[in-house]
Amino acid sequence: MNSVEIISRKRDGLALSEEQIAWMVDGTVRNAVPDYQISAWLMAIVLKGMNDAEILAMTRSMIASGRTLDLSFIPGIKVDKHSTGGVGDKVSLILAPLVACAGVPVPMMAGRGLGHTGGTLDKLESIPGFRTRLCETEFVRQISKIGCAIIGQTDDIVPADKKLYALRDVTGTVSSIPLICASIMSKKKAEGADALALDVKFGKGAFLPSREKTAELARTLVALGNGLGIRTEAVLTHMDQPLGLAAGNWLEVREAVEALRGGGPPDLMEVTLALGGMMLRMAGKAATNQAGIEMLHPFLSSGKAYDRFLALVRMQGGDIGVIENPETYTRQIVPHAVASPVTGYVAGLDAMEAGLVCVLTGAGRMKQDEAVDPGAGIVFRKKTGDAVRKGETIADLYTNRGEKHMLSDRLLRAYRFSDQPCMKPVLIDGTVQA
Ligand code: URA
């Protein structure tokens, strides 16, 4: 077999065999296929797609690239959550400790920022000392002890995704149903989850903007997950504008902490609780999603969910001092205010543009393995439906880079204004089950 043949076959729209896919994935992990050929192959997949058998083969090869964890001796149904990626999406930071409070073990294997979207691992690593690389024993011990752990792909577990994900991020090859499905489901199978709640996003800031394509992605993920023996369900959520008020690593940790203390913004809490309710039902703790949501509320108001987050941060080596006293965080940046040019209403806030500006503040990557600036990002003071006055601050930019005025102008172009009152967008647009 040779890579040029396999790339050309996919370029010509032909299906690849299980062996050809396994050969490419194996070559990726062993560094036997150079990055430029892997990138060409990924682009051919983006453009020509894969059938169900190829997606399954790709997922299986990625799982086989590393070890699979066995969590069967941890009692209970282990449930994870994964999002297809958005701007300001800090739901996982809230959900893992929150759902663990209800006695549901949450083994979470998360990703880094991809394209214009943020990543849970980058957010957690903005906490000084936080380790997202735990060995298997530590991961399992932590879940047994506090009910949740959040780690990244390791050299042992789905190393293929680690390599492919980083390459996709910098080669314009993220927006692909087969690649997203194989990436997400390989990690979920390898981490040993029994059930999975997916947040599949559509709209301007999602990898697949169209509602129709996103529904197809959700159906493919749900079928693939169930086919791999993971009970999988999905919520379709709108990502036209950023979720919550903050985008950027430390800024999002701070917002997640507020949410865990019962003070999260309504849109963030709506998505978090919808997924949390689903997770509790899938774990057999609640008869319906709504009953699950009602079980979760007291953990937020009592401070239990916040305490569980502190336990997670402490066990993963993070400095809980900065969580408890955020003003002691040493990487704080002085914000640059972006002012409204008009008096009226925010008619829209383009999540893709906002996400790209966020990357340019230093919060995300333009090149593979680039370091992110933990304190950089944006706080959106005004979002769709809010009234604004001319000159009022609509967003604060946090950046150490010199191009504040250019970023400010670009962020302003992400906003649309109207002199008429505007509706807040509907966030949850249905669920997909097997
Ligand atoms: N999340 C992942 O883990 N992989 C993708 O490809 C997209 C979102």
Side-chain angles (χ1 to χ4, degrees), residues 95-114:
L95 212 44
L98 177 61
V99 168
C101 285
V104 178
V106 184
M108 196 174 267
M109 194 178 289
R112 298 203 173 274
L114 196 57

Side-chain angles (χ1 to χ4, degrees), residues 82-85 111 114 161 165 168 174 179-180 183-184 187 207:
H82 201 89
S83 152
T84 54
L114 196 57
D161 187 57
Y165 199 91
R168 285 168 61 212
V174 173
L179 295 177
I180 295 174
S183 165
I184 293 179
K187 289 193 284 267
F207 287 122

Side-chain angles (χ1 to χ4, degrees), residues 290-353:
Q290 190 51 39
I293 292 174
E294 275 150 31
M295 283 173 72
L296 292 173
H297 278 297
F299 299 125
L300 294 168
S301 49
S302 64
K304 282 204 168 105
Y306 172 62
D307 287 344
R308 195 63 68 101
F309 181 70
L310 288 181
L312 178 142
V313 172
R314 195 184 295 114
M315 280 199 83
Q316 294 194 222
D319 175 2
I320 63 159
V322 298
I323 305 285
E324 300 240 71
N325 302 297
E327 62 288 349
T328 62
Y329 191 69
T330 52
R331 289 149 171 175
Q332 222 97 248
I333 303 172
V334 179
H336 173 84
V338 180
S340 173
V342 297
T343 293
Y345 299 88
V346 178
L349 168 54
D350 185 320
M352 169 65 85
E353 267 305 294

Side-chain angles (χ1 to χ4, degrees), residues 66-67 69 109 151 153-159 187 190-191:
R67 288 172 343 97
L69 302 186
M109 194 178 289
I151 59 167
Q153 303 100 297
T154 63
D155 294 338
D156 291 1
I157 304 163
V158 205
K187 289 193 284 267
E191 77 184 11

